[in-house]
Every structure is written in structure tokens, then in C-alpha cells.
Amino acid sequence: MGRDKCALELNGRLTLERIIDEVAPYFDEIIFSTNETEKYAKYGFKCVRDETPDCGPACGILSVMNAYPREYYQTAPCDAPFLSGAAVARAYELSIGADVGLVRTPDGPQPLFSAYSLTARDALAAGLRNGIFRILACLKGLNIRELTPDILGLADCWEKHFFNVNCPEDFEQAVAMARLKNDGGK
């Protein structure tokens, strides 16, 4: 993207603040995975640095799991300005009892919208120790419950919920989508 995706503004609001407002009503605890803990501490949430820098999202998830052991974790990316907090909470609920609740859309798996158990933590740790940095590659052999947009209540709007901003063109598209929403569109 060339700049901090959390600092992107849509209609005068930071993307990160939009995401926090969506998920906060559904979760008692929010933990940020960031290597800029001082920058995000102002939000009042726990912040965790990657134990091993430059190893990607798998390391970020593992670092949070190691710092704050819980039975389950639900992830949400900072670059998805239109995610639904209700759908994120539904993914978490449907994942209980599995090692991983893996969201899979018609575009493919969405590991940064998925839920992970402590068993998944061990698999991520083993994968990273072996130089495997892709989340899904670390999870082979686990009890994975696949979660589709339909069962998350996103049958008609999954593309918007899972839309993420990775480049300036994506951001331009997000601005247009936000404008459409403010003009009465979905």
C-alpha cells in the first residue's frame, strides 16, 4: 500500500476505528497484533509485537496467542473497512469445538477472518520453526471447520465484508463503496 493501512480514512473516519466499532460490541477483549505498540496503545487495547519480525500474519497471530493464552481466538484484519462485527462473532461461535474455524469464500480461504484454538497455536509454532510462514500450510492435519458466507449471514454481501485494501487502487474502490453506502446503497 505504501502507507499505514490502519490510518486510511473513509468518509472522515479511520478504517481501524470503523473495524473496532464493528467488533467491540461482540467481544469482551480486543488485542492488537502490531509492531507499533505505542501508536495503537491510545485505543486502550492490549498490543503485542511479533516475537519474530518479518514472518507475516502467522507470527502475529502466534505472538498474540503466546502473550495472552485463551481457549479460542478470532482474528480480523485491519484493512477490511466493511467487515460485519456480527459475522465475525458468528465465525467465532461456529468455530467452538474445532481446531480452526476457517472462513472460505468463493475467492478462497480467508485465514485473517478465521478463528483459532490453542491446538492451532501449536501448529503455527511448529510451522514457523520449520520455516513455513503461510497460515494454511501450518494447519494441515487439524480439525478444520469450514465456514461459508452463507452460514455467516453474508450470502448477498460477502464480497464487501471480505474486501480488503492492499494497494492504492483498492483504497479508491473502498472510497467509492463508502460513498455509495452513504448515498443509500448497500
Side-chain angles (χ1 to χ4, degrees):
M1 181 67 194
R3 61 191 231 214
D4 183 359
K5 293 193 258 185
C6 292
L8 297 175
E9 282 191 29
L10 293 175
N11 295 334
R13 295 240 14 248
L14 293 177
T15 299
L16 179 63
E17 291 173 356
R18 296 169 75 116
I19 293 167
I20 291 168
D21 288 349
E22 274 295 315
V23 299
Y26 299 97
F27 295 93
D28 294 333
E29 181 177 46
I30 295 175
I31 303 170
F32 286 9
S33 170
T34 177
N35 288 322
E36 298 179 277
T37 56
E38 307 79 24
K39 185 176 182 178
Y40 297 105
K42 68 182 179 183
Y43 290 101
F45 302 112
K46 297 169 184 163
C47 295
V48 176
R49 289 183 185 278
D50 288 357
E51 294 170 351
T52 308
D54 303 321
C55 290
C59 186
I61 293 168
L62 178 62
S63 297
V64 167
M65 293 172 141
N66 287 336
Y68 297 101
R70 307 289 184 267
E71 191 172 347
Y72 283 94
Y73 304 81
Q74 175 64 48
T75 60
C78 70
D79 62 355
F82 307 110
L83 67 75
S84 158
V88 172
R90 180 100 171 112
Y92 178 83
E93 292 166 3
L94 292 170
S95 299
I96 304 299
D99 296 330
V100 178
L102 179 65
V103 175
R104 185 176 297 278
T105 70
D107 286 343
Q110 304 291 330
L112 297 183
F113 287 92
S114 298
Y116 301 93
S117 69
L118 283 177
T119 302
R121 178 184 70 175
D122 298 340
L124 287 171
L128 289 168
R129 274 193 309 273
N130 291 313
I132 300 169
F133 302 110
R134 292 189 61 240
I135 294 171
L136 296 179
C138 294
L139 303 176
K140 292 190 185 299
L142 296 184
N143 172 17
I144 297 176
R145 180 171 295 145
E146 296 224 350
L147 307 172
T148 64
D150 289 351
I151 65 173
L152 296 176
L154 299 169
D156 297 332
C157 60
W158 69 268
E159 291 165 303
K160 188 169 187 177
H161 173 82
F162 295 105
F163 180 82
N164 63 338
V165 178
N166 290 315
C167 63
E169 294 79 19
D170 292 342
F171 182 63
E172 289 174 22
Q173 186 176 350
V175 169
M177 293 165 71
R179 189 175 305 120
L180 178 65
K181 181 178 179 185
N182 284 347
D183 292 339
K186 288 190 172 190

